[in-house]
Amino acid sequence: MDDDRLDDPIRDAARQYNAPPDTPKEEMWARVQASRRLGAQRGKGRRVVSPRYWVPWAAAAAAVLAAGIGLGRLSVSPETVVPEVAERRAPQVNPTAYRLATMEHLGQSEAFLTLFRTSVVAGGNERLASASARQLLATNRLLLDSPAAEDRRARLLLQDLELILAEIAQLSLESREQDLQLIREGIERGDMMPRLRTAVPAGPNSMQGAL
Amino acid sequence: MNDRELIGRVLAGDPSAERALYDAHVDRVFRLVYRMAGDLDRAQDYVQETFIRGFDRLGDFRGESALSTWLCSIAISITLNGLRKVRRFNERETELDDGLQAGSPVREADPDLKVRLSRAIEALPEGYRTVFVMHDVEGYTHQEIADTLGVQPGTSKAQLSRARARLRAALADFARD
C-alpha cells in the first residue's frame, strides 16, 4: 500500500510530527512504583471506584452473573453430575455459557446502538439511553472479567464497546451535542456496528463458534 | 531473557524483573504515546497509566501477540481515551473564548509545511491519525498496527490510504510547489 505514498518533503516533515524528547524513564518509573505501592496498600489495586457509581447497577450485574452460572449448569452434560455425597467443589461453568451470554449481550448492544443512532441522536430520550447504557455497561464489565474475555476478538470488541457505553451512560442535557458527536465518532471509528453484527450471527444455528 | 521468562519472574514478584520489563518497552511506548499526545505531561501520564495497567493485568497476557504489541495496545487505548477528554474540555473552552473574543480580528500567519502538516494531521479523524502516526511517522507495519488496534491489516491499509489522501488534499499547494 505504498503506491499512494506522500511526496518526499511531506513524508520528511511527517517524521518531525510531535518529535518525542528523550524518554523521562526514571521520573515515570518512580510514579509507576509509587502508584503500585499505593494500590498494594489498598489491597485491591490502585483503582478506587465510588460505590455511588456501582450501586445502581449492582442488581443488574448480579442478575447477569446468575444467568451465566445458570446457563453453565444447564449446559453441563449428565455424566459430569456429582452425587450429593461427593466432595463439594466450586461450580463448573461451561465456557459455552459464557459465549452464549456474550453473544446475547452483543446482540442487545447492537440493538441498543442502532436505536440510539436513529432515535436519540434525533433528540430526546437521553435519560433512558443513559440508563440502558449503564445496564449494558455493567454486563459488559462482568463479561470482560469473565472467561468470555479470554477470546481475543471478543475481548477487544467488549473493550471498545465499553468506551462507547460509558460515554452514553454519561450523557446529559447540558453537553448533549458535543457528547453525541464524540459517541458518533466512537461508533464510526471502531467500525463498531459491523463488528457487532459479525459477532452476532443472524441465524440461531450459527451461534456456535461465532466468537 | 525473553518476554516469557521476564513475565514469569514479574508474576513471581521479582522487582528487578519489573524494572527490566519496563526498561525493555518504555521507549517504544513513550515514542508512540508522545507522537499521539504531542504534550510531555500528558504523554508521561498516559505511559505511566499504561505500565500500571500492564503490570496489573500481566497475568491475563496470553502471548498471542508480542508483549510490546500488547503494551502498545493498552497505551493507545489510554491515550485515545485521554485525548478525547482533553478535546471535549478544549472544545468547551474554545466556545467560551469565541464568545469573549467575538469581533476581534483573526490573525492568520503564513504557515510553513511543517506547521500546516501538523494541523492537517491533528484534523484527521482519530482512526486515520492513529494509523498514520503508527505507520508513516513511527514505522510500524500494517500487521503490527492491526495487532495493536485489533483490526484487520486491510483496515489499517485503507485508513492509511484515506489519511494520506486527506493530507495530500490539505497540502495540495505544497505539492504543486
Side-chain angles (χ1 to χ4, degrees):
Chain A
M1 179 66 62
D2 267 0
D3 50 350
D4 68 338
R5 67 183 184 175
L6 299 167
D7 296 335
D8 285 343
I10 299 178
R11 275 196 3 247
D12 292 342
R15 292 195 188 104
Q16 300 300 312
Y17 173 69
N18 288 345
D22 290 341
T23 309
K25 268 187 188 178
E26 298 307 324
E27 196 179 336
M28 290 193 294
W29 177 246
R31 289 194 208 164
V32 169
Q33 288 295 90
S35 179
R36 297 198 74 222
R37 272 197 299 273
L38 188 64
Q41 282 166 9
R42 284 177 179 158
K44 288 263 298 178
R46 60 184 289 281
R47 213 177 275 172
V48 179
V49 180
S50 162
R52 192 167 60 86
Y53 189 60
W54 282 96
V55 166
W57 354 311
V64 172
L65 187 60
I69 292 171
L71 272 170
R73 285 184 170 163
L74 283 175
S75 59
V76 172
S77 62
E79 294 78 37
T80 60
V81 173
V82 179
E84 273 189 83
V85 292
E87 185 185 350
R88 290 189 67 184
R89 295 181 196 170
Q92 294 281 316
V93 179
N94 191 320
T96 307
Y98 286 108
R99 278 206 299 274
L100 288 171
T102 306
M103 272 188 278
E104 185 180 349
H105 168 66
L106 294 177
Q108 287 174 353
S109 299
E110 186 211 343
F112 169 70
L113 290 180
T114 303
L115 185 67
F116 176 82
R117 291 203 305 177
T118 54
S119 65
V120 179
V121 172
N125 295 327
E126 290 86 357
R127 196 169 295 174
L128 183 61
S130 174
S132 303
R134 279 199 297 275
Q135 285 187 359
L136 288 168
L137 192 57
T139 309
N140 204 76
R141 284 178 173 160
L142 276 174
L143 289 170
L144 269 172
D145 288 336
S146 79
E150 286 176 7
D151 178 279
R152 185 169 177 274
R153 278 179 56 202
R155 185 176 67 248
L156 291 170
L157 183 53
L158 289 169
Q159 285 171 343
D160 289 348
L161 185 59
E162 182 180 11
L163 289 178
I164 292 168
L165 291 174
E167 285 174 340
I168 298 175
Q170 291 169 14
L171 261 185
S172 65
L173 288 171
E174 292 76 26
S175 54
R176 196 172 162 272
E177 276 310 314
Q178 290 169 353
D179 287 346
L180 286 177
Q181 181 59 30
L182 284 171
I183 293 164
R184 270 195 294 266
E185 287 175 11
I187 294 172
E188 299 304 325
R189 182 184 53 249
D191 293 331
M192 183 52 64
M193 300 310 287
R195 287 168 68 199
L196 283 172
R197 288 181 194 122
T198 305
V200 185
N205 294 332
S206 53
M207 296 283 272
Q208 183 91 21
L211 286 168
Chain B
M1 190 186 307
N2 63 31
D3 281 346
R4 190 179 293 270
E5 292 167 340
L6 202 52
I7 291 166
R9 282 178 49 193
V10 172
L11 292 176
D14 180 350
S16 67
E18 281 192 8
R19 178 65 203 230
L21 188 150
Y22 173 82
D23 283 341
H25 298 284
V26 68
D27 282 326
R28 183 176 161 94
V29 171
F30 179 76
R31 282 185 66 84
L32 179 59
V33 170
Y34 188 90
R35 294 277 197 189
M36 292 296 295
D39 176 275
L40 184 58
D41 288 338
R42 278 185 210 132
Q44 283 186 262
D45 285 347
Y46 301 155
V47 172
Q48 286 156 207
E49 184 66 25
T50 299
F51 279 94
I52 290 164
R53 201 177 289 186
F55 282 128
D56 284 349
R57 295 185 180 177
L58 198 57
D60 298 336
F61 176 67
R62 298 176 63 196
E64 289 165 346
S65 60
L67 182 60
S68 59
T69 303
W70 184 71
L71 284 170
C72 284
S73 177
I74 296 173
I76 284 288
S77 171
I78 290 169
T79 303
L80 293 180
N81 222 5
L83 291 176
R84 267 175 234 150
K85 288 176 190 163
V86 170
R87 187 175 54 181
R88 193 185 300 198
F89 177 80
N90 287 345
E91 280 170 359
R92 287 175 185 160
E93 291 291 296
T94 305
E95 279 178 9
L96 286 174
D97 289 347
D98 287 349
L100 292 171
Q101 294 175 2
S104 59
V106 177
R107 186 172 157 271
E108 189 68 48
D110 183 21
D112 63 9
L113 172 60
K114 202 172 149 184
V115 175
R116 282 270 300 277
L117 179 63
S118 282
R119 286 182 189 167
I121 295 172
E122 300 292 341
L124 289 173
E126 195 176 80
Y128 295 3
R129 190 167 86 94
T130 305
V131 171
F132 179 81
V133 167
M134 291 183 81
H135 189 279
D136 276 10
V137 181
E138 276 297 294
Y140 286 65
T141 65
H142 284 298
Q143 188 60 56
E144 287 173 321
I145 295 170
D147 290 342
T148 302
L149 302 182
V151 298
Q152 295 296 316
T155 305
S156 171
K157 289 176 185 175
Q159 291 201 319
L160 177 64
S161 182
R162 289 175 201 145
R164 285 172 174 172
R166 288 206 183 192
L167 294 178
R168 207 175 282 117
L171 303 167
D173 47 342
F174 281 100
R176 278 196 297 272
D177 295 343

